[in-house]
Amino acid sequence: MSGSQRGSQDGSQRGGMYDCVIMCGGLGNRLKPLTHDTVPKPLVRVGGRELITYAIDLLGPAFIRQVIFAVDHHADQLQAWLESAALSYETRLSFQEQPGYLNAVECAMRESGAETVLFCHADEIKPGLRLDRALAHHSASGLPATVVTTYADRLYRHWVVSGDESSQRVTDIAICPDDYRRTPDQNGLVLAGALILDKAAFPRFDPELSLDYLGIVRPLIDAGELGYFVSPTEALFNISTQEEYEDAIAYVSGEPAGGRTRLMEG
């Protein structure tokens, strides 16, 4: 592992092997009653293992060349975990220079040096998500960015996606719409914690709009340049609150829990 060596262009073009960035730098404020701000959220244990390992499970050596861990909060703990994890990928760290998701993405993209990079969140459990198919879809789309989506219930917990089915482009995103609390069993298309970006997408980013995720996706939506891929999953848990953490524990223990998705082929 190297935190300073820059990535190469080799094996990173459309249709080939890709770099994956796992986003690990969030503060996890809503989980502080659980972490006491002494453990980074990706290292919270769910079902006897670290939460971050569920993201790594979605990768495969047939399509991922290198894994970059974008770190910030409690970076030393994440670095120590990575050094002991003995992963079967080339790995490195990326350190963000300014607050916000947008800067973490920019720094990780520079660390990679690749033209196209897959970004995955470290705080979700989504078994069965087909990232290989998502990358193939992105490669064929001709668009500079693609979000991976799936179907889920409890839509008030998720970023709900509206899209044009004929062009498979995102037309809007609603953040955890509270109206869905009245219909918790209703299914809808939601973000599944994975984003594929080309370097060509970067001029669209707008830090004045937001330093976080919206500063990336909203300008792309407005320009008609954000595609979406619908993946099957067995379940989707975004571990951002104590309630969601408890639901995820129940799921990995084999008990009925909310947050499951409707199975659907992408």
Side-chain angles (χ1 to χ4, degrees):
M1 179 186 71
S2 170
S4 58
Q5 178 186 357
R6 296 294 174 189
S8 71
Q9 300 287 339
D10 182 42
S12 62
Q13 304 301 311
R14 283 182 182 268
M17 299 287 284
Y18 293 87
D19 286 357
C20 175
V21 175
I22 298 183
M23 305 295 285
C24 304
L27 294 175
N29 287 326
R30 289 182 293 173
L31 273 185
K32 282 185 178 177
L34 178 68
T35 66
H36 305 290
D37 199 27
T38 59
V39 178
K41 184 163 64 167
L43 298 187
V44 169
R45 295 182 69 82
V46 178
R49 59 192 181 109
E50 294 84 0
L51 182 54
I52 194 173
T53 62
Y54 291 93
I56 296 169
D57 283 350
L58 300 175
L59 309 180
F63 62 96
I64 295 299
R65 178 180 66 93
Q66 173 181 234
V67 182
I68 298 170
F69 295 83
V71 298
D72 185 34
H73 192 55
H74 290 312
D76 55 339
Q77 291 188 46
L78 285 158
Q79 182 171 7
W81 176 84
L82 179 58
E83 290 172 349
S84 66
L87 301 181
S88 57
Y89 300 95
E90 179 184 344
T91 62
R92 65 181 68 204
L93 298 176
S94 170
F95 297 89
Q96 68 186 82
E97 299 164 352
Q98 301 171 19
Y101 189 99
L102 192 155
N103 182 255
V105 165
E106 291 177 330
C107 291
M109 198 80 170
R110 289 198 304 269
E111 185 69 36
S112 165
E115 291 296 322
T116 302
V117 174
L118 168 67
F119 291 84
C120 290
H121 296 170
D123 58 357
E124 296 181 342
I125 296 177
K126 45 206 174 191
L129 199 72
R130 292 301 303 268
L131 296 177
D132 54 342
R133 292 186 190 177
L135 286 161
H137 172 90
H138 175 77
S139 179
S141 74
L143 295 173
T146 300
V147 290
V148 182
T149 66
T150 194
Y151 281 90
D153 59 13
R154 300 195 182 189
L155 298 177
Y156 57 87
R157 292 181 172 181
H158 300 287
W159 289 39
V160 180
V161 177
S162 301
D164 179 76
E165 292 186 8
S166 61
S167 65
Q168 291 190 293
R169 298 184 189 215
V170 177
T171 57
D172 198 13
I173 291 177
I175 304 172
C176 304
D178 202 57
D179 289 349
Y180 288 111
R181 289 186 181 276
R182 297 193 295 267
T183 55
D185 294 331
Q186 181 176 342
N187 277 268
L189 196 65
V190 304
L191 295 182
L195 173 66
I196 305 167
L197 290 173
D198 293 350
K199 281 185 177 179
F202 276 49
R204 294 290 187 192
F205 294 178
D206 187 354
E208 293 188 3
L209 173 65
S210 171
L211 295 176
D212 292 308
Y213 194 82
L214 275 181
I216 296 173
V217 298
R218 177 57 65 187
L220 288 163
I221 293 171
D222 293 344
E225 294 180 345
L226 182 63
Y228 69 93
F229 171 77
V230 183
S231 174
T233 56
E234 298 172 16
L236 176 62
F237 296 95
N238 181 351
I239 315 299
S240 59
T241 66
Q242 182 76 26
E243 179 187 14
E244 291 160 343
Y245 171 78
E246 291 171 358
D247 280 351
I249 290 287
Y251 171 74
V252 299
S253 301
E255 302 172 13
R260 291 175 183 253
T261 63
R262 179 174 67 184
L263 294 179
M264 181 172 181
E265 289 296 322

